PDB file of all heavy atoms in Angstrom:
ATOM      1  N   LYS A 113     173.578-182.161  23.633  1.00  0.00           N
ATOM      2  CA  LYS A 113     174.594-181.652  24.555  1.00  0.00           C
ATOM      3  C   LYS A 113     175.637-180.888  23.756  1.00  0.00           C
ATOM      4  O   LYS A 113     175.882-181.176  22.591  1.00  0.00           O
ATOM      5  CB  LYS A 113     175.244-182.821  25.293  1.00  0.00           C
ATOM      6  CG  LYS A 113     174.280-183.471  26.260  1.00  0.00           C
ATOM      7  CD  LYS A 113     175.010-184.129  27.412  1.00  0.00           C
ATOM      8  CE  LYS A 113     174.035-184.392  28.538  1.00  0.00           C
ATOM      9  NZ  LYS A 113     174.212-185.650  29.212  1.00  0.00           N
ATOM     10  N   LYS A 114     176.247-179.916  24.419  1.00  0.00           N
ATOM     11  CA  LYS A 114     177.262-179.139  23.718  1.00  0.00           C
ATOM     12  C   LYS A 114     178.604-179.847  23.856  1.00  0.00           C
ATOM     13  O   LYS A 114     179.363-179.588  24.764  1.00  0.00           O
ATOM     14  CB  LYS A 114     177.340-177.739  24.315  1.00  0.00           C
ATOM     15  CG  LYS A 114     175.961-177.107  24.493  1.00  0.00           C
ATOM     16  CD  LYS A 114     175.846-175.731  23.963  1.00  0.00           C
ATOM     17  CE  LYS A 114     174.401-175.244  23.914  1.00  0.00           C
ATOM     18  NZ  LYS A 114     173.360-176.259  23.713  1.00  0.00           N
ATOM     19  N   SER A 183     165.911-166.726  29.439  1.00  0.00           N
ATOM     20  CA  SER A 183     164.929-166.444  30.495  1.00  0.00           C
ATOM     21  C   SER A 183     163.534-166.934  30.102  1.00  0.00           C
ATOM     22  O   SER A 183     162.717-167.232  30.958  1.00  0.00           O
ATOM     23  CB  SER A 183     164.892-164.953  30.811  1.00  0.00           C
ATOM     24  OG  SER A 183     164.393-164.231  29.714  1.00  0.00           O
ATOM     25  N   PHE A 184     163.265-167.042  28.769  1.00  0.00           N
ATOM     26  CA  PHE A 184     161.965-167.579  28.348  1.00  0.00           C
ATOM     27  C   PHE A 184     161.890-169.064  28.671  1.00  0.00           C
ATOM     28  O   PHE A 184     160.848-169.580  29.040  1.00  0.00           O
ATOM     29  CB  PHE A 184     161.748-167.397  26.843  1.00  0.00           C
ATOM     30  CG  PHE A 184     161.526-165.971  26.424  1.00  0.00           C
ATOM     31  CD1 PHE A 184     161.636-164.933  27.335  1.00  0.00           C
ATOM     32  CD2 PHE A 184     161.204-165.666  25.115  1.00  0.00           C
ATOM     33  CE1 PHE A 184     161.443-163.620  26.957  1.00  0.00           C
ATOM     34  CE2 PHE A 184     161.007-164.354  24.718  1.00  0.00           C
ATOM     35  CZ  PHE A 184     161.135-163.340  25.643  1.00  0.00           C
ATOM     36  N   GLU A 186     163.852-170.732  31.044  1.00  0.00           N
ATOM     37  CA  GLU A 186     163.886-170.923  32.491  1.00  0.00           C
ATOM     38  C   GLU A 186     162.569-170.519  33.121  1.00  0.00           C
ATOM     39  O   GLU A 186     162.074-171.188  34.027  1.00  0.00           O
ATOM     40  CB  GLU A 186     165.017-170.088  33.103  1.00  0.00           C
ATOM     41  CG  GLU A 186     166.386-170.625  32.795  1.00  0.00           C
ATOM     42  CD  GLU A 186     167.465-169.926  33.602  1.00  0.00           C
ATOM     43  OE1 GLU A 186     167.205-168.805  34.097  1.00  0.00           O
ATOM     44  OE2 GLU A 186     168.559-170.497  33.734  1.00  0.00           O
ATOM     45  N   GLY A 187     162.008-169.403  32.645  1.00  0.00           N
ATOM     46  CA  GLY A 187     160.754-168.930  33.202  1.00  0.00           C
ATOM     47  C   GLY A 187     159.663-169.977  33.070  1.00  0.00           C
ATOM     48  O   GLY A 187     158.912-170.226  34.012  1.00  0.00           O
ATOM     49  N   ALA A 188     159.597-170.606  31.910  1.00  0.00           N
ATOM     50  CA  ALA A 188     158.564-171.623  31.683  1.00  0.00           C
ATOM     51  C   ALA A 188     158.852-172.877  32.505  1.00  0.00           C
ATOM     52  O   ALA A 188     157.955-173.430  33.157  1.00  0.00           O
ATOM     53  CB  ALA A 188     158.479-171.969  30.200  1.00  0.00           C
ATOM     54  N   LEU A 189     160.121-173.321  32.511  1.00  0.00           N
ATOM     55  CA  LEU A 189     160.470-174.522  33.267  1.00  0.00           C
ATOM     56  C   LEU A 189     160.211-174.319  34.749  1.00  0.00           C
ATOM     57  O   LEU A 189     159.727-175.220  35.441  1.00  0.00           O
ATOM     58  CB  LEU A 189     161.941-174.880  33.051  1.00  0.00           C
ATOM     59  CG  LEU A 189     162.313-175.353  31.650  1.00  0.00           C
ATOM     60  CD1 LEU A 189     163.823-175.499  31.536  1.00  0.00           C
ATOM     61  CD2 LEU A 189     161.628-176.672  31.335  1.00  0.00           C
ATOM     62  N   ALA A 190     160.519-173.113  35.245  1.00  0.00           N
ATOM     63  CA  ALA A 190     160.340-172.838  36.667  1.00  0.00           C
ATOM     64  C   ALA A 190     158.864-172.842  37.047  1.00  0.00           C
ATOM     65  O   ALA A 190     158.522-172.943  38.219  1.00  0.00           O
ATOM     66  CB  ALA A 190     160.981-171.496  37.037  1.00  0.00           C
ATOM     67  N   LEU A 191     157.980-172.714  36.063  1.00  0.00           N
ATOM     68  CA  LEU A 191     156.542-172.797  36.356  1.00  0.00           C
ATOM     69  C   LEU A 191     156.056-174.239  36.297  1.00  0.00           C
ATOM     70  O   LEU A 191     154.863-174.509  36.456  1.00  0.00           O
ATOM     71  CB  LEU A 191     155.742-171.960  35.354  1.00  0.00           C
ATOM     72  CG  LEU A 191     155.865-170.451  35.513  1.00  0.00           C
ATOM     73  CD1 LEU A 191     155.253-169.750  34.311  1.00  0.00           C
ATOM     74  CD2 LEU A 191     155.194-169.983  36.784  1.00  0.00           C
ATOM     75  N   GLY A 192     156.975-175.159  36.036  1.00  0.00           N
ATOM     76  CA  GLY A 192     156.586-176.565  36.000  1.00  0.00           C
ATOM     77  C   GLY A 192     156.231-177.058  34.614  1.00  0.00           C
ATOM     78  O   GLY A 192     155.623-178.109  34.471  1.00  0.00           O
ATOM     79  N   ALA A 193     156.613-176.281  33.594  1.00  0.00           N
ATOM     80  CA  ALA A 193     156.397-176.780  32.231  1.00  0.00           C
ATOM     81  C   ALA A 193     157.445-177.849  31.942  1.00  0.00           C
ATOM     82  O   ALA A 193     158.557-177.778  32.454  1.00  0.00           O
ATOM     83  CB  ALA A 193     156.533-175.640  31.224  1.00  0.00           C
ATOM     84  N   THR A 194     157.083-178.848  31.127  1.00  0.00           N
ATOM     85  CA  THR A 194     158.097-179.798  30.690  1.00  0.00           C
ATOM     86  C   THR A 194     158.940-179.105  29.631  1.00  0.00           C
ATOM     87  O   THR A 194     158.554-178.050  29.115  1.00  0.00           O
ATOM     88  CB  THR A 194     157.466-181.049  30.069  1.00  0.00           C
ATOM     89  OG1 THR A 194     156.722-180.652  28.914  1.00  0.00           O
ATOM     90  CG2 THR A 194     156.539-181.753  31.038  1.00  0.00           C
ATOM     91  N   GLN A 197     157.038-178.636  26.462  1.00  0.00           N
ATOM     92  CA  GLN A 197     156.027-177.575  26.604  1.00  0.00           C
ATOM     93  C   GLN A 197     156.678-176.198  26.508  1.00  0.00           C
ATOM     94  O   GLN A 197     156.173-175.297  25.831  1.00  0.00           O
ATOM     95  CB  GLN A 197     155.309-177.689  27.954  1.00  0.00           C
ATOM     96  CG  GLN A 197     154.206-178.738  27.975  1.00  0.00           C
ATOM     97  CD  GLN A 197     153.618-178.918  29.366  1.00  0.00           C
ATOM     98  OE1 GLN A 197     154.318-178.797  30.369  1.00  0.00           O
ATOM     99  NE2 GLN A 197     152.342-179.219  29.432  1.00  0.00           N
ATOM    100  N   ALA A 198     157.792-176.042  27.204  1.00  0.00           N
ATOM    101  CA  ALA A 198     158.478-174.746  27.180  1.00  0.00           C
ATOM    102  C   ALA A 198     158.907-174.398  25.759  1.00  0.00           C
ATOM    103  O   ALA A 198     158.740-173.261  25.310  1.00  0.00           O
ATOM    104  CB  ALA A 198     159.689-174.772  28.107  1.00  0.00           C
ATOM    105  N   THR A 201     155.511-173.856  23.462  1.00  0.00           N
ATOM    106  CA  THR A 201     154.628-172.724  23.712  1.00  0.00           C
ATOM    107  C   THR A 201     155.370-171.422  23.933  1.00  0.00           C
ATOM    108  O   THR A 201     154.768-170.357  23.911  1.00  0.00           O
ATOM    109  CB  THR A 201     153.756-172.979  24.947  1.00  0.00           C
ATOM    110  OG1 THR A 201     154.619-173.166  26.068  1.00  0.00           O
ATOM    111  CG2 THR A 201     152.886-174.200  24.773  1.00  0.00           C
ATOM    112  N   ASN A 202     156.681-171.502  24.184  1.00  0.00           N
ATOM    113  CA  ASN A 202     157.370-170.267  24.520  1.00  0.00           C
ATOM    114  C   ASN A 202     158.565-169.967  23.628  1.00  0.00           C
ATOM    115  O   ASN A 202     158.772-168.829  23.234  1.00  0.00           O
ATOM    116  CB  ASN A 202     157.847-170.338  25.981  1.00  0.00           C
ATOM    117  CG  ASN A 202     157.513-169.094  26.733  1.00  0.00           C
ATOM    118  OD1 ASN A 202     156.827-168.221  26.225  1.00  0.00           O
ATOM    119  ND2 ASN A 202     157.995-168.990  27.941  1.00  0.00           N
ATOM    120  N   PRO A 205     157.362-170.011  19.368  1.00  0.00           N
ATOM    121  CA  PRO A 205     156.645-168.804  18.931  1.00  0.00           C
ATOM    122  C   PRO A 205     157.558-167.583  18.832  1.00  0.00           C
ATOM    123  O   PRO A 205     157.417-166.771  17.923  1.00  0.00           O
ATOM    124  CB  PRO A 205     155.590-168.603  20.023  1.00  0.00           C
ATOM    125  CG  PRO A 205     155.374-169.952  20.589  1.00  0.00           C
ATOM    126  CD  PRO A 205     156.699-170.645  20.519  1.00  0.00           C
ATOM    127  N   SER A 206     158.511-167.464  19.754  1.00  0.00           N
ATOM    128  CA  SER A 206     159.414-166.318  19.700  1.00  0.00           C
ATOM    129  C   SER A 206     160.387-166.433  18.538  1.00  0.00           C
ATOM    130  O   SER A 206     160.842-165.426  18.002  1.00  0.00           O
ATOM    131  CB  SER A 206     160.215-166.200  20.999  1.00  0.00           C
ATOM    132  OG  SER A 206     159.358-166.070  22.081  1.00  0.00           O
ATOM    133  N   MET A 302     155.026-158.991  18.328  1.00  0.00           N
ATOM    134  CA  MET A 302     155.719-159.446  19.521  1.00  0.00           C
ATOM    135  C   MET A 302     155.908-158.318  20.518  1.00  0.00           C
ATOM    136  O   MET A 302     155.775-158.487  21.716  1.00  0.00           O
ATOM    137  CB  MET A 302     157.082-160.000  19.099  1.00  0.00           C
ATOM    138  CG  MET A 302     157.640-161.019  20.020  1.00  0.00           C
ATOM    139  SD  MET A 302     156.765-162.554  19.801  1.00  0.00           S
ATOM    140  CE  MET A 302     157.702-163.273  18.489  1.00  0.00           C
ATOM    141  N   ARG A 303     156.247-157.146  19.990  1.00  0.00           N
ATOM    142  CA  ARG A 303     156.468-156.010  20.885  1.00  0.00           C
ATOM    143  C   ARG A 303     155.153-155.495  21.442  1.00  0.00           C
ATOM    144  O   ARG A 303     155.126-154.740  22.388  1.00  0.00           O
ATOM    145  CB  ARG A 303     157.153-154.873  20.122  1.00  0.00           C
ATOM    146  CG  ARG A 303     158.486-155.286  19.557  1.00  0.00           C
ATOM    147  CD  ARG A 303     159.593-154.353  19.996  1.00  0.00           C
ATOM    148  NE  ARG A 303     160.891-154.934  19.670  1.00  0.00           N
ATOM    149  CZ  ARG A 303     161.535-154.718  18.525  1.00  0.00           C
ATOM    150  NH1 ARG A 303     161.005-153.923  17.631  1.00  0.00           N
ATOM    151  NH2 ARG A 303     162.697-155.262  18.309  1.00  0.00           N
ATOM    152  N   GLY A 304     154.052-155.880  20.789  1.00  0.00           N
ATOM    153  CA  GLY A 304     152.742-155.447  21.273  1.00  0.00           C
ATOM    154  C   GLY A 304     152.482-154.030  20.906  1.00  0.00           C
ATOM    155  O   GLY A 304     152.236-153.149  21.703  1.00  0.00           O
TER     156      GLY A 304
ATOM    157  N   ARG B  50     168.903-172.076  43.261  1.00  0.00           N
ATOM    158  CA  ARG B  50     168.485-172.873  42.104  1.00  0.00           C
ATOM    159  C   ARG B  50     168.583-174.379  42.335  1.00  0.00           C
ATOM    160  O   ARG B  50     168.114-175.147  41.509  1.00  0.00           O
ATOM    161  CB  ARG B  50     169.311-172.470  40.872  1.00  0.00           C
ATOM    162  CG  ARG B  50     169.004-171.053  40.426  1.00  0.00           C
ATOM    163  CD  ARG B  50     170.104-170.507  39.541  1.00  0.00           C
ATOM    164  NE  ARG B  50     170.018-171.026  38.197  1.00  0.00           N
ATOM    165  CZ  ARG B  50     169.417-170.391  37.198  1.00  0.00           C
ATOM    166  NH1 ARG B  50     168.854-169.222  37.406  1.00  0.00           N
ATOM    167  NH2 ARG B  50     169.373-170.909  36.004  1.00  0.00           N
ATOM    168  N   LEU B  58     169.642-177.857  34.387  1.00  0.00           N
ATOM    169  CA  LEU B  58     169.769-177.425  32.996  1.00  0.00           C
ATOM    170  C   LEU B  58     171.217-177.316  32.554  1.00  0.00           C
ATOM    171  O   LEU B  58     171.508-177.312  31.372  1.00  0.00           O
ATOM    172  CB  LEU B  58     169.093-176.055  32.801  1.00  0.00           C
ATOM    173  CG  LEU B  58     167.633-175.931  33.194  1.00  0.00           C
ATOM    174  CD1 LEU B  58     167.114-174.550  32.888  1.00  0.00           C
ATOM    175  CD2 LEU B  58     166.811-176.975  32.469  1.00  0.00           C
ATOM    176  N   ASP B  60     174.789-178.791  32.046  1.00  0.00           N
ATOM    177  CA  ASP B  60     175.334-180.151  31.893  1.00  0.00           C
ATOM    178  C   ASP B  60     176.406-180.494  32.921  1.00  0.00           C
ATOM    179  O   ASP B  60     176.482-181.607  33.402  1.00  0.00           O
ATOM    180  CB  ASP B  60     175.932-180.319  30.489  1.00  0.00           C
ATOM    181  CG  ASP B  60     174.859-180.343  29.420  1.00  0.00           C
ATOM    182  OD1 ASP B  60     173.701-180.638  29.784  1.00  0.00           O
ATOM    183  OD2 ASP B  60     175.153-180.063  28.250  1.00  0.00           O
ATOM    184  N   VAL B  83     158.645-181.807  37.435  1.00  0.00           N
ATOM    185  CA  VAL B  83     157.562-180.904  37.052  1.00  0.00           C
ATOM    186  C   VAL B  83     156.694-180.562  38.272  1.00  0.00           C
ATOM    187  O   VAL B  83     156.382-179.399  38.520  1.00  0.00           O
ATOM    188  CB  VAL B  83     156.718-181.539  35.920  1.00  0.00           C
ATOM    189  CG1 VAL B  83     155.400-180.810  35.765  1.00  0.00           C
ATOM    190  CG2 VAL B  83     157.498-181.517  34.619  1.00  0.00           C
ATOM    191  N   ARG B  86     158.586-178.202  40.607  1.00  0.00           N
ATOM    192  CA  ARG B  86     158.664-176.802  40.179  1.00  0.00           C
ATOM    193  C   ARG B  86     157.305-176.117  40.253  1.00  0.00           C
ATOM    194  O   ARG B  86     157.218-174.893  40.288  1.00  0.00           O
ATOM    195  CB  ARG B  86     159.247-176.717  38.762  1.00  0.00           C
ATOM    196  CG  ARG B  86     160.714-177.088  38.744  1.00  0.00           C
ATOM    197  CD  ARG B  86     161.300-176.945  37.369  1.00  0.00           C
ATOM    198  NE  ARG B  86     162.696-177.395  37.357  1.00  0.00           N
ATOM    199  CZ  ARG B  86     163.274-177.969  36.321  1.00  0.00           C
ATOM    200  NH1 ARG B  86     162.582-178.140  35.215  1.00  0.00           N
ATOM    201  NH2 ARG B  86     164.528-178.346  36.379  1.00  0.00           N
ATOM    202  N   MET B  91     159.549-169.668  41.133  1.00  0.00           N
ATOM    203  CA  MET B  91     160.757-168.844  41.135  1.00  0.00           C
ATOM    204  C   MET B  91     160.556-167.525  40.413  1.00  0.00           C
ATOM    205  O   MET B  91     159.978-167.474  39.339  1.00  0.00           O
ATOM    206  CB  MET B  91     161.906-169.607  40.469  1.00  0.00           C
ATOM    207  CG  MET B  91     163.224-168.874  40.535  1.00  0.00           C
ATOM    208  SD  MET B  91     164.565-170.016  40.175  1.00  0.00           S
ATOM    209  CE  MET B  91     165.918-169.213  41.015  1.00  0.00           C
ATOM    210  N   PHE B  93     162.773-164.312  38.953  1.00  0.00           N
ATOM    211  CA  PHE B  93     164.160-164.126  38.540  1.00  0.00           C
ATOM    212  C   PHE B  93     164.653-162.707  38.775  1.00  0.00           C
ATOM    213  O   PHE B  93     163.877-161.780  39.014  1.00  0.00           O
ATOM    214  CB  PHE B  93     164.316-164.497  37.066  1.00  0.00           C
ATOM    215  CG  PHE B  93     164.072-165.957  36.801  1.00  0.00           C
ATOM    216  CD1 PHE B  93     162.775-166.456  36.669  1.00  0.00           C
ATOM    217  CD2 PHE B  93     165.121-166.848  36.734  1.00  0.00           C
ATOM    218  CE1 PHE B  93     162.547-167.799  36.442  1.00  0.00           C
ATOM    219  CE2 PHE B  93     164.904-168.196  36.513  1.00  0.00           C
ATOM    220  CZ  PHE B  93     163.622-168.671  36.374  1.00  0.00           C
ATOM    221  N   ASN B  97     161.233-161.323  33.652  1.00  0.00           N
ATOM    222  CA  ASN B  97     161.252-162.051  32.370  1.00  0.00           C
ATOM    223  C   ASN B  97     159.850-162.411  31.900  1.00  0.00           C
ATOM    224  O   ASN B  97     159.529-163.567  31.719  1.00  0.00           O
ATOM    225  CB  ASN B  97     162.111-163.310  32.477  1.00  0.00           C
ATOM    226  CG  ASN B  97     161.590-164.302  33.507  1.00  0.00           C
ATOM    227  OD1 ASN B  97     160.820-163.940  34.380  1.00  0.00           O
ATOM    228  ND2 ASN B  97     161.990-165.544  33.406  1.00  0.00           N
ATOM    229  N   PRO B  98     159.005-161.375  31.683  1.00  0.00           N
ATOM    230  CA  PRO B  98     157.685-161.699  31.140  1.00  0.00           C
ATOM    231  C   PRO B  98     157.857-162.326  29.762  1.00  0.00           C
ATOM    232  O   PRO B  98     158.803-161.997  29.055  1.00  0.00           O
ATOM    233  CB  PRO B  98     157.007-160.331  31.028  1.00  0.00           C
ATOM    234  CG  PRO B  98     158.115-159.351  30.973  1.00  0.00           C
ATOM    235  CD  PRO B  98     159.239-159.931  31.768  1.00  0.00           C
ATOM    236  N   PHE B  99     156.958-163.244  29.405  1.00  0.00           N
ATOM    237  CA  PHE B  99     156.991-163.823  28.069  1.00  0.00           C
ATOM    238  C   PHE B  99     156.399-162.811  27.089  1.00  0.00           C
ATOM    239  O   PHE B  99     155.576-161.986  27.476  1.00  0.00           O
ATOM    240  CB  PHE B  99     156.175-165.117  28.035  1.00  0.00           C
ATOM    241  CG  PHE B  99     156.610-166.135  29.053  1.00  0.00           C
ATOM    242  CD1 PHE B  99     155.680-166.929  29.702  1.00  0.00           C
ATOM    243  CD2 PHE B  99     157.949-166.292  29.362  1.00  0.00           C
ATOM    244  CE1 PHE B  99     156.088-167.873  30.657  1.00  0.00           C
ATOM    245  CE2 PHE B  99     158.367-167.226  30.309  1.00  0.00           C
ATOM    246  CZ  PHE B  99     157.422-168.015  30.948  1.00  0.00           C
ATOM    247  N   PRO B 100     156.786-162.871  25.827  1.00  0.00           N
ATOM    248  CA  PRO B 100     156.257-161.905  24.858  1.00  0.00           C
ATOM    249  C   PRO B 100     154.822-162.240  24.478  1.00  0.00           C
ATOM    250  O   PRO B 100     154.503-162.519  23.338  1.00  0.00           O
ATOM    251  CB  PRO B 100     157.206-162.050  23.669  1.00  0.00           C
ATOM    252  CG  PRO B 100     157.745-163.421  23.777  1.00  0.00           C
ATOM    253  CD  PRO B 100     157.761-163.786  25.227  1.00  0.00           C
ATOM    254  N   LYS B 101     153.967-162.226  25.479  1.00  0.00           N
ATOM    255  CA  LYS B 101     152.554-162.523  25.286  1.00  0.00           C
ATOM    256  C   LYS B 101     151.766-161.445  26.040  1.00  0.00           C
ATOM    257  O   LYS B 101     152.353-160.559  26.641  1.00  0.00           O
ATOM    258  CB  LYS B 101     152.224-163.900  25.876  1.00  0.00           C
ATOM    259  CG  LYS B 101     153.027-165.057  25.323  1.00  0.00           C
ATOM    260  CD  LYS B 101     152.712-166.332  26.098  1.00  0.00           C
ATOM    261  CE  LYS B 101     153.666-167.467  25.770  1.00  0.00           C
ATOM    262  NZ  LYS B 101     153.454-168.099  24.474  1.00  0.00           N
ATOM    263  N   TYR B 109     149.779-168.861  31.805  1.00  0.00           N
ATOM    264  CA  TYR B 109     150.724-169.825  31.226  1.00  0.00           C
ATOM    265  C   TYR B 109     150.890-171.068  32.095  1.00  0.00           C
ATOM    266  O   TYR B 109     150.757-172.202  31.617  1.00  0.00           O
ATOM    267  CB  TYR B 109     152.092-169.165  30.996  1.00  0.00           C
ATOM    268  CG  TYR B 109     153.052-170.060  30.259  1.00  0.00           C
ATOM    269  CD1 TYR B 109     153.097-170.068  28.879  1.00  0.00           C
ATOM    270  CD2 TYR B 109     153.906-170.919  30.943  1.00  0.00           C
ATOM    271  CE1 TYR B 109     153.953-170.905  28.192  1.00  0.00           C
ATOM    272  CE2 TYR B 109     154.776-171.764  30.269  1.00  0.00           C
ATOM    273  CZ  TYR B 109     154.787-171.746  28.889  1.00  0.00           C
ATOM    274  OH  TYR B 109     155.642-172.586  28.217  1.00  0.00           O
ATOM    275  N   VAL B 113     149.763-175.000  31.234  1.00  0.00           N
ATOM    276  CA  VAL B 113     150.643-176.156  31.040  1.00  0.00           C
ATOM    277  C   VAL B 113     150.302-177.259  32.033  1.00  0.00           C
ATOM    278  O   VAL B 113     150.630-178.417  31.821  1.00  0.00           O
ATOM    279  CB  VAL B 113     152.157-175.823  31.126  1.00  0.00           C
ATOM    280  CG1 VAL B 113     152.558-174.835  30.066  1.00  0.00           C
ATOM    281  CG2 VAL B 113     152.557-175.361  32.499  1.00  0.00           C
ATOM    282  N   HIS B 114     149.616-176.895  33.124  1.00  0.00           N
ATOM    283  CA  HIS B 114     149.197-177.934  34.065  1.00  0.00           C
ATOM    284  C   HIS B 114     147.795-178.441  33.755  1.00  0.00           C
ATOM    285  O   HIS B 114     147.153-179.079  34.588  1.00  0.00           O
ATOM    286  CB  HIS B 114     149.310-177.433  35.496  1.00  0.00           C
ATOM    287  CG  HIS B 114     150.739-177.155  35.879  1.00  0.00           C
ATOM    288  ND1 HIS B 114     151.687-178.147  35.910  1.00  0.00           N
ATOM    289  CD2 HIS B 114     151.399-176.015  36.176  1.00  0.00           C
ATOM    290  CE1 HIS B 114     152.857-177.621  36.237  1.00  0.00           C
ATOM    291  NE2 HIS B 114     152.704-176.326  36.389  1.00  0.00           N
ATOM    292  N   SER B 146     150.281-156.280  25.607  1.00  0.00           N
ATOM    293  CA  SER B 146     151.531-157.052  25.717  1.00  0.00           C
ATOM    294  C   SER B 146     152.185-156.780  27.062  1.00  0.00           C
ATOM    295  O   SER B 146     152.289-155.638  27.504  1.00  0.00           O
ATOM    296  CB  SER B 146     152.495-156.662  24.607  1.00  0.00           C
ATOM    297  OG  SER B 146     153.785-157.136  24.917  1.00  0.00           O
ATOM    298  N   LEU B 148     155.167-156.841  27.652  1.00  0.00           N
ATOM    299  CA  LEU B 148     156.424-156.121  27.469  1.00  0.00           C
ATOM    300  C   LEU B 148     156.229-154.607  27.538  1.00  0.00           C
ATOM    301  O   LEU B 148     157.181-153.860  27.652  1.00  0.00           O
ATOM    302  CB  LEU B 148     157.060-156.492  26.120  1.00  0.00           C
ATOM    303  CG  LEU B 148     157.328-157.982  25.922  1.00  0.00           C
ATOM    304  CD1 LEU B 148     157.981-158.232  24.583  1.00  0.00           C
ATOM    305  CD2 LEU B 148     158.198-158.522  27.040  1.00  0.00           C
ATOM    306  N   ARG B 149     154.956-154.183  27.468  1.00  0.00           N
ATOM    307  CA  ARG B 149     154.681-152.745  27.552  1.00  0.00           C
ATOM    308  C   ARG B 149     154.642-152.234  28.990  1.00  0.00           C
ATOM    309  O   ARG B 149     154.582-151.030  29.221  1.00  0.00           O
ATOM    310  CB  ARG B 149     153.321-152.444  26.898  1.00  0.00           C
ATOM    311  CG  ARG B 149     153.325-152.566  25.396  1.00  0.00           C
ATOM    312  CD  ARG B 149     153.813-151.263  24.787  1.00  0.00           C
ATOM    313  NE  ARG B 149     153.788-151.308  23.334  1.00  0.00           N
ATOM    314  CZ  ARG B 149     152.787-150.819  22.608  1.00  0.00           C
ATOM    315  NH1 ARG B 149     151.746-150.264  23.187  1.00  0.00           N
ATOM    316  NH2 ARG B 149     152.842-150.887  21.308  1.00  0.00           N
ATOM    317  N   ARG B 162     152.512-164.611  37.978  1.00  0.00           N
ATOM    318  CA  ARG B 162     152.620-165.799  37.149  1.00  0.00           C
ATOM    319  C   ARG B 162     153.001-167.015  37.989  1.00  0.00           C
ATOM    320  O   ARG B 162     152.515-168.121  37.771  1.00  0.00           O
ATOM    321  CB  ARG B 162     153.693-165.530  36.081  1.00  0.00           C
ATOM    322  CG  ARG B 162     153.690-166.468  34.934  1.00  0.00           C
ATOM    323  CD  ARG B 162     154.615-165.965  33.846  1.00  0.00           C
ATOM    324  NE  ARG B 162     156.011-165.962  34.279  1.00  0.00           N
ATOM    325  CZ  ARG B 162     157.003-165.444  33.547  1.00  0.00           C
ATOM    326  NH1 ARG B 162     156.746-164.871  32.402  1.00  0.00           N
ATOM    327  NH2 ARG B 162     158.234-165.484  33.994  1.00  0.00           N
ATOM    328  N   VAL B 163     153.887-166.769  38.965  1.00  0.00           N
ATOM    329  CA  VAL B 163     154.278-167.862  39.865  1.00  0.00           C
ATOM    330  C   VAL B 163     153.106-168.237  40.777  1.00  0.00           C
ATOM    331  O   VAL B 163     152.807-169.420  40.974  1.00  0.00           O
ATOM    332  CB  VAL B 163     155.508-167.439  40.704  1.00  0.00           C
ATOM    333  CG1 VAL B 163     155.760-168.431  41.815  1.00  0.00           C
ATOM    334  CG2 VAL B 163     156.729-167.309  39.818  1.00  0.00           C
ATOM    335  N   VAL B 166     150.219-170.804  39.790  1.00  0.00           N
ATOM    336  CA  VAL B 166     150.297-172.259  39.861  1.00  0.00           C
ATOM    337  C   VAL B 166     150.188-172.739  41.317  1.00  0.00           C
ATOM    338  O   VAL B 166     150.413-173.911  41.607  1.00  0.00           O
ATOM    339  CB  VAL B 166     151.575-172.834  39.196  1.00  0.00           C
ATOM    340  CG1 VAL B 166     151.587-172.547  37.714  1.00  0.00           C
ATOM    341  CG2 VAL B 166     152.820-172.293  39.844  1.00  0.00           C
TER     342      VAL B 166
END
Side-chain angles (χ1 to χ4, degrees):
Chain A
K113 291 207 163 140
K114 313 229 169 330
S183 67
F184 290 5
E186 288 190 340
L189 292 173
L191 288 169
T194 62
Q197 279 174 326
T201 60
N202 227 7
S206 302
M302 206 75 87
R303 300 234 168 91
Chain B
R50 293 161 78 96
L58 304 182
D60 290 339
V83 165
R86 290 183 184 147
M91 185 164 205
F93 295 82
N97 62 341
F99 304 143
K101 303 174 191 285
Y109 187 88
V113 299
H114 295 297
S146 165
L148 303 181
R149 288 275 182 97
R162 196 170 66 187
V163 169
V166 296

